[in-house]
Amino acid sequence: MLNIAIAGLGTVGAGVVRLLKQNAGTISSRAGKAIKIKAVSARNKGKKRDCDLTGIDWAEKPQALAEMEDVDVIVELIGGGEGPAKQLAEAALKNGKHLITANKALIAAHGIELAKLAEASKVQIAYEAAVAGGIPVIKALREGLSGNSLTSVRGILNGTCNYILTRMREGGLDFKTALAEAQKLGYAEADPTADVDGHDSANKLAILAALTFGSKPDLASIRLEGIRHITPLDLQFADQLECRIKLLGVAKLTPMGLEQHVAPALIPKKSPLAHVNGPLNAVLMRGDFVGDVMLEGQGAGAEPTASAVVADIIDLARGRTTPAFGVPTKDLKTLPTARGSTKMRYYMRLQLMDKPGVVADISTVIGSEGISIESLIQRGKPSSGAVPVVVTTHEADMSAMHRAFEKISQIKAVGLHPCLMQIEE
Ligand code: HSE
């Protein structure tokens, strides 16, 4: 018997309770023993929940779960990188209990401290549910691809953003309308900042990069840009360029070090990532022997996330364990950050006043930064207002491109809200 205690009974917590009950037979045979929920804790005992808690002890404070003698595993589903979730995780590991968590903010920010605590207490940390919900990407990186030298990981890591961008393209909706739709469907949080400004994706990318490169999670080095400034026009131009726009998390090794960013990007339609639509997530990993491997599936929601949590529970019950980041913490590398050195192709969308010489002025700025233009698309003049113009470039140095973009934004005939995006390989 493996005795677990669950802290947090929101959507995911209730999903875990339901799944353990519904599939109890298969789960215990795969785990080699029965899984028993000994106790749970949540903020409001009286709240009606979509799960049956009969026969399960209730603890008023999550911390109390970490003190229970007969509990082997703490499942932390409270959320948040600090506060009660962190306190519970630390207490659990110090008290010699295994920790399973769905908390990306906690692992991205404090994963190393927690992994050291786990090593000291000779217990395990598992966090499959923290990245891309039901997609078993942690297992793939930590185990399935562990013979490879991995060179990059790319992911569509936020379902809310992917849903918004999909609806903006398919329905011609503007950002605000698509966001309101995502909120109505329950994809986006009431405060959508973490989703649409890229913080949620950045936490997930920091974890994936650590597993991919055997390095410490380095959230602070991730260049971050959200999707608020993308317009339906950009999605139409992207289509014309045989691309899709996705909020992409990328971590790759360059000669200068580790390059990590979360930003909207144009992805050629021939890439499998371009076809991941709606609220789905996907992760594309590249290894020296295996080549490219892509996993796609549901990155959020009660059932997919519970699926990942329960897989971790079964692994623990079976004694299938690995160090939290694939190697002992003493072997994790600190990689230098490659900033501004990467060469990429770019898409720049401008709204120009229709007067002679404007396009020439823009080309001059781009040329003066040593950047070569690949194509220029000018749409017919709308009945009123500015003319949309898109410039795509050949591979350009990131710093040079950003300098050119700043200078172009200052030109009088260039309208408000210009947009610069990378074109991914
Ligand atoms: N809010 C996230 C998303 C799921 O939209 O993908 C939890 O990380």
Side-chain angles (χ1 to χ4, degrees):
M1 175 97 72
L2 185 79
N3 289 323
I4 69 166
I6 302 174
L9 285 175
T11 322
V12 178
V16 171
V17 176
R18 277 204 312 279
L19 175 51
L20 285 172
K21 195 167 178 146
Q22 189 172 318
N23 291 354
T26 349
I27 289 172
S28 61
S29 99
R30 288 182 180 152
K33 54 182 75 156
I35 311 292
K36 181 168 172 56
I37 308 174
K38 283 292 287 184
V40 291
S41 173
R43 239 178 304 175
N44 180 354
K45 191 173 178 182
K47 189 174 160 187
K48 238 179 115 35
R49 293 190 166 82
D50 191 15
C51 62
D52 179 8
L53 298 175
T54 314
I56 302 175
D57 292 342
W58 182 272
E60 284 305 325
K61 298 256 177 267
Q63 291 289 330
L65 302 175
E67 312 291 332
M68 291 180 172
E69 292 263 308
D70 50 358
V71 164
D72 309 304
V73 183
I74 298 292
V75 180
E76 183 278 306
L77 302 173
I78 300 170
E82 310 294 330
K86 180 166 177 260
Q87 287 154 17
L88 174 63
E90 288 169 349
L93 296 170
K94 282 182 188 157
N95 289 349
K97 306 201 184 299
H98 303 293
L99 173 71
I100 292 174
T101 177
N103 191 330
K104 64 226 118 193
L106 179 71
I107 297 297
H110 302 293
I112 295 295
E113 297 147 57
L114 295 175
K116 285 183 180 164
L117 281 179
E119 284 170 354
S121 298
K122 298 193 167 31
V123 290
Q124 304 299 320
I125 303 181
Y127 51 88
E128 185 63 71
V131 180
I135 304 176
V137 64
I138 307 294
K139 205 169 189 52
L141 284 170
R142 209 162 50 175
E143 297 165 46
L145 304 178
S146 57
N148 287 262
S149 176
L150 297 161
T151 50
S152 67
V153 61
R154 291 175 164 76
I156 295 171
L157 301 171
N158 186 273
T160 302
C161 289
N162 207 32
Y163 179 81
I164 291 172
L165 291 170
T166 302
R167 289 294 294 136
M168 285 174 73
R169 177 175 61 81
E170 288 175 353
L173 307 183
D174 63 15
F175 170 77
K176 277 197 179 136
T177 312
L179 170 60
E181 206 179 275
Q183 281 170 320
K184 210 164 138 204
L185 288 167
Y187 296 136
E189 310 291 328
D191 174 4
T193 309
D195 291 317
V196 300
D197 292 335
H199 304 285
D200 177 76
S201 297
N203 281 325
K204 295 168 181 169
L205 182 69
I207 297 171
L208 292 181
L211 289 163
T212 301
F213 303 114
S215 55
K216 295 179 184 149
D218 185 6
L219 192 57
S221 299
I222 298 178
R223 187 169 57 78
L224 190 58
E225 194 185 305
I227 61 163
R228 290 183 200 260
H229 60 296
I230 308 294
T231 63
L233 189 62
D234 292 313
L235 290 141
Q236 287 167 23
F237 274 124
D239 194 43
Q240 200 174 333
L241 292 162
E242 293 303 315
C243 289
R244 295 278 185 248
I245 297 176
K246 300 284 171 193
L247 181 70
L248 204 64
V250 177
K252 59 183 177 191
L253 276 185
T254 75
M256 311 292 285
L258 176 60
E259 213 270 303
Q260 301 183 87
H261 63 260
V262 169
L266 273 76
I267 303 178
K269 287 180 195 168
K270 61 181 192 286
S271 162
L273 283 168
H275 304 281
V276 178
N277 290 318
L280 293 179
N281 283 194
V283 183
L284 181 65
M285 300 153 275
R286 183 165 295 170
D288 56 354
F289 271 57
V290 74
D292 282 356
V293 174
M294 189 175 101
L295 296 176
E296 176 183 355
Q298 297 187 67
E303 283 82 15
T305 314
S307 156
V309 171
V310 170
D312 280 345
I313 296 173
I314 294 172
D315 272 355
L316 271 179
R318 270 280 171 206
R320 282 194 294 262
T321 60
T322 52
F325 291 99
V327 296
T329 51
K330 68 174 174 44
D331 296 340
L332 286 168
K333 293 173 268 189
T334 304
L335 293 171
T337 304
R339 213 179 252 131
S341 58
T342 324
K343 288 213 179 297
M344 295 292 299
R345 288 170 61 221
Y346 284 90
Y347 161 101
M348 180 166 57
R349 189 258 307 137
L350 308 165
Q351 306 276 4
L352 301 183
M353 273 167 61
D354 192 11
K355 53 179 222 175
V358 183
V359 170
D361 291 348
I362 287 160
S363 320
T364 305
V365 174
I366 295 175
S368 71
E369 288 292 349
I371 298 164
S372 165
I373 292 177
E374 182 194 48
S375 74
L376 193 141
I377 312 172
Q378 177 169 344
R379 282 274 177 95
K381 192 179 179 203
S383 49
S384 65
V387 185
V389 168
V390 161
V391 175
T392 66
T393 73
H394 290 291
E395 283 205 335
D397 181 78
M398 189 192 283
S399 325
M401 190 66 227
H402 281 266
R403 268 197 311 274
F405 183 63
E406 279 311 307
K407 286 186 205 163
I408 288 168
S409 308
Q410 305 304 321
I411 295 176
K412 255 212 174 121
V414 174
L416 292 176
H417 312 302
C419 174
L420 180 70
M421 279 185 274
Q422 296 188 349
I423 305 173
E424 282 286 334
E425 60 181 274

